[in-house]
């Protein structure tokens, strides 16, 4: 058990429906702190680079289009075992498989428009945080 930081993205389907506050409450109620936050419109190049690991997948082009279809809120979440805790709070990628009470079970529209992204490992969290934030933007 250790204090970790992880990257969270509130996706365009969440900003479009004006439910970012409801989602952020889930993080805070479950013990995660928002130590950095900004609302941005991802460029196509940014979305392609961020999701480069998925570039051979059939859903890649559609994912990039969906992630650039509106503003997103990128955040750094901090807390005990933040990477795994955030993934529990988000629930399964496919909302149909997500546990009751999770963000995706409550809010996701589809497997693609699934309201939130969260880093899947501590190593990727460091890379993903550095993708969006400089050190001076993170205030613990
Ligand atoms: P995310 O956690 O942001 O990581 C990759 C994203 O790709 C995922 O959430 C979904 O938005 C999307 N994704 C994953 N699997 C599928 C799929 N089978 N069809 C469409 N989109 C998917």
């Amino acid at each position: 058990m250790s204090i970790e930081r992880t990257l969270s993205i509130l996706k365009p389907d969440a900003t479009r429906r004006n439910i970012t506050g409801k989602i952020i409450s889930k993080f805070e109620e479950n013990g995660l702190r928002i130590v950095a936050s900004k609302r941005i419109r991802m460029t196509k190049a940014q979305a392609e680079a961020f999701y480069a690991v998925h570039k051979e997948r059939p859903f890649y082009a559609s994912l990039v289009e969906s992630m650039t279809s509106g503003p997103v809120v990128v955040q750094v979440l901090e807390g005990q075992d933040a990477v795994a805790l955030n993934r529990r709070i988000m629930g399964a990628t496919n909302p149909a498989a997500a546990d009751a009470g999770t963000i995706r079970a409550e809010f996701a529209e589809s497997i693609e428009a699934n309201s939130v992204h969260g880093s899947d490992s501590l190593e990727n969290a460091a890379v993903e945080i550095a993708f969006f934030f400089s050190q001076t933007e993170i205030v613990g």
Side-chain angles (χ1 to χ4, degrees), residues 1-92:
M1 298 271 278
S2 59
I3 299 292
E4 296 174 353
R5 287 176 174 175
T6 189
L7 183 87
S8 169
I9 305 178
L10 309 187
K11 297 187 176 187
D13 71 271
T15 58
R16 178 170 43 77
R17 287 178 289 153
N18 205 24
I19 56 171
T20 58
K22 286 181 180 168
I23 294 174
I24 291 168
S25 290
K26 293 267 193 194
F27 299 140
E28 293 185 337
E29 283 163 6
N30 285 283
L32 291 171
R33 301 183 78 85
I34 317 296
V35 296
S37 181
K38 59 187 170 190
R39 183 179 175 102
I40 61 169
R41 181 79 181 250
M42 286 177 80
T43 64
K44 184 163 185 265
Q46 262 182 319
E48 285 173 346
F50 185 79
Y51 282 117
V53 65
H54 295 304
K55 68 171 176 293
E56 306 304 333
R57 309 284 281 274
F59 57 80
Y60 179 66
S62 171
L63 174 62
V64 167
E65 191 175 319
S66 133
M67 290 300 290
T68 56
S69 67
V72 300
V73 179
V74 288
Q75 301 189 303
V76 179
L77 310 179
E78 183 182 85
Q80 200 80 42
D81 291 315
V83 173
L85 175 57
N86 182 38
R87 293 180 71 75
R88 283 201 297 280
I89 297 167
M90 291 192 298

Side-chain angles (χ1 to χ4, degrees), residues 91-124:
T93 304
N94 185 349
D99 290 338
T102 61
I103 291 168
R104 284 162 170 166
E106 281 191 28
F107 302 117
E109 294 183 312
S110 66
I111 191 168
E112 180 174 272
N114 60 355
S115 303
V116 278
H117 166 82
S119 307
D120 65 1
S121 68
L122 197 52
E123 295 71 26
N124 284 341

